[in-house]
Amino acid sequence: MIEKALTSADVEFVTTLHGDEPVSFHVLLQPRGEQADRLLRAIDDIALGELDEAVREGETPEGEEALTMGQRALEVSLTALRSAGSEAGGRLIEDHPLDELKSLVEEVRADEVIVLTDPHYVEEFFHRDWASRARHKVGVPVLKLFSHSKA
């Protein structure tokens, strides 16, 4: 589960987690503009010392623009995973990401879930981030990873 395009460092990290064992990825992407409210994002930016980003939170795409950018980010991520030699498929999600995640886990009989996002300190502190909530819902181990760099 991701919220933006995977960077090359992210792809290398997730594709080498299990050594030479063959892995297939089923990627769910929910654009950041649809998942969290602006205030929480701004607080996260301030906690990270990124004051310029906090000021620009109002510029984060939402609605149709976020979906279009999200589709491109998903395509870039799937292409990068496939180029790294992994099997990869995925879809964009608009609503209820954890319900979608639970359905996907059951559908593909996933062994684990990887949640790869930027840090969201407020949500993580209150255990309202995707990984914390997924641990109580999906029935498989959930690995929380932070994106290596800005995409």
Side-chain angles (χ1 to χ4, degrees), residues 3-10 32 44-45 48 50 53-54 56-57 118-119 147-151:
E3 63 188 0
K4 64 181 185 178
L6 296 175
T7 65
S8 57
D10 295 332
R32 185 174 180 192
D44 285 337
D45 291 335
L48 289 168
E50 296 174 352
E53 290 296 319
R56 286 194 289 273
E57 279 302 335
D118 287 333
S147 182
H148 280 76
S149 61
K150 301 253 180 212

Side-chain angles (χ1 to χ4, degrees), residues 28-85:
L28 295 179
L29 183 142
Q30 183 180 32
R32 185 174 180 192
E34 295 294 329
Q35 81 170 35
D37 103 338
R38 288 181 185 165
L39 177 60
L40 287 178
R41 293 191 316 255
I43 291 170
D44 285 337
D45 291 335
I46 290 168
L48 289 168
E50 296 174 352
L51 299 179
D52 290 341
E53 290 296 319
V55 171
R56 286 194 289 273
E57 279 302 335
E59 299 170 11
T60 300
E62 294 188 5
E64 191 61 39
E65 185 181 355
L67 292 177
T68 301
M69 290 179 69
Q71 188 60 44
R72 281 188 298 226
L74 179 61
E75 290 167 9
V76 164
S77 300
L78 294 176
T79 298
L81 288 166
R82 291 174 187 141
S83 294

Side-chain angles (χ1 to χ4, degrees), residues 98 115 123-124 126-137 142 144:
L98 296 175
V115 176
E123 292 169 348
E124 290 166 24
F126 291 106
H127 302 284
R128 301 302 302 154
D129 60 298
W130 284 344
S132 296
R133 292 168 46 206
R135 286 186 181 106
H136 301 288
K137 190 161 190 138
V142 176
K144 167 77 174 175

